[in-house]
Each structure stands twice: as structure tokens, then as C-alpha cells.
Amino acid sequence: MRNILVVIDMQHDFIDGALGTAEAVSIVPAVVEKIKRYAPEDVFATRDTHGENYLETQEGMYLPVKHCICGTKGWEIAPQIAALIRTDHIFDKPSFGSEALVAVMKALAEKEPIAITLIGLCTDICVVSNALLLKAALPEVRISVDPACCAGVTPEKHAAALETLRSCQIQMN
């Protein structure tokens, strides 16, 4: 069984930037340690990616805070995390979930048995979105989330997202 780790949106704007939280800052050391337990070829990441017109998009109308604008410091993955992830294993995504990530995981699962663990930010938005996309595409693959390496928009939303994930047969590490 090949164990895959997916690091969701560990970017400056979600950690200590425009949408940062104390909870997001607090998980960074645990995320770094978790990544180090995996072979580099088994670590993948997503990067929330928006253009200058973000506020004109549907997401921008509901969340009117410019963030993760491509090429800005806020868009960058925190350096201590980015240093551990191959650049060709990072998926830029314009919305909450990454279809490209799902396609790569499906291709891996066709070659050999895999299990996927997700960590990162924000539990209640992009972590849950990617976990559910993966579960829908790969219903027989063990999909899990490590709650200690995730943070939500608020602690309450983090807890609610974990309950939703459990209801959808996403395991907790």
C-alpha cells in the first residue's frame, strides 16, 4: 500500500496573511513534521490561486477579501513547507477543490493500492472539498484527515467539518 499525503493550501494568506488565524499558525510545526514522515514522491500539495479580478468572481462576492493572488507573497506556500514538496507535485486551483489532484490520484490508484491522508487549511472549506472530491472519485480508497494538522476558519467550523468528514466515511488519523 502506497501512502500519499496531500497538503492543502498551506499558504501565507491562510496562515499569517489576509485570512490567517492563530490556529493556522499553530499547526505549521505539526505539518512540517508530518510531511517529513513521507517519501518526497508521495507528497502532493494544492495552492489556492486567484487573479487580480478575484473580487469580481463568485467566490470573491461571498468572501470579499483578496487573497492568494498568483505571484504575491500571500499566494506562496510557507517556505518551511514548500522546501519539502516537489514543485511538480503542487496543483494550483482556482476554486476550493482540485480536479487535477483527483486525476493524478486516480491514475496512481489504477497502478497500485493507495491510501490518501489530507492535512492543511482550511478544514471547513478546502480540506473538506478535496476530501469529498477524492472520496467521490475513489470510493474504495482509504481517505483520511489528520485533525492535528488542520485548522478551520474558526475552531467551531473545524470541529463541524470533522463531523461532516466522518459522516462521509473519511477517516481520522
Side-chain angles (χ1 to χ4, degrees):
M1 174 82 60
R2 183 173 174 188
N3 291 306
I4 304 294
L5 182 68
V6 178
V7 182
I8 304 292
D9 298 357
M10 289 298 296
Q11 296 162 265
H12 284 293
D13 272 347
F14 293 127
I15 298 169
D16 54 11
L19 296 170
T21 65
E23 293 82 15
V25 171
S26 74
I27 69 165
V28 171
V31 168
V32 169
E33 289 309 309
K34 184 91 170 185
I35 294 169
K36 288 178 178 178
R37 291 187 217 137
Y38 286 77
E41 63 272 14
D42 294 336
V43 179
F44 296 82
T46 63
R47 183 168 48 199
D48 201 42
T49 303
H50 301 294
E52 286 295 331
N53 70 332
Y54 171 75
L55 295 176
E56 300 165 24
T57 67
Q58 183 171 326
E59 179 183 329
M61 291 177 205
Y62 287 101
L63 178 62
V65 178
K66 273 185 129 177
H67 66 280
C68 299
I69 305 302
C70 187
T72 66
K73 179 178 173 28
W75 172 75
E76 295 173 4
I77 295 172
Q80 64 272 46
I81 294 168
L84 301 172
I85 302 170
R86 293 179 174 181
T87 56
D88 66 342
H89 282 200
I90 298 172
F91 299 91
D92 291 338
K93 58 181 186 57
S95 69
F96 304 138
S98 174
E99 292 180 25
L101 171 69
V102 171
V104 167
M105 294 301 114
K106 284 179 79 170
L108 290 176
E110 288 172 4
K111 294 178 185 170
E112 63 187 309
I114 65 170
I116 304 169
T117 299
L118 291 90
I119 60 175
L121 302 168
C122 294
T123 319
D124 50 311
I125 303 173
C126 294
V127 174
V128 73
S129 295
N130 283 285
L132 294 177
L133 280 172
L134 288 164
K135 190 66 174 174
L138 298 162
E140 296 303 318
V141 169
R142 183 181 195 279
I143 311 287
S144 63
V145 169
D146 184 344
C149 292
C150 294
V153 173
T154 66
E156 296 79 15
K157 289 190 176 200
H158 170 75
L162 295 176
E163 281 306 310
T164 296
L165 289 162
R166 284 184 191 100
S167 294
C168 295
Q169 301 178 1
I170 306 297
Q171 306 303 307
M172 299 296 131
N173 279 6

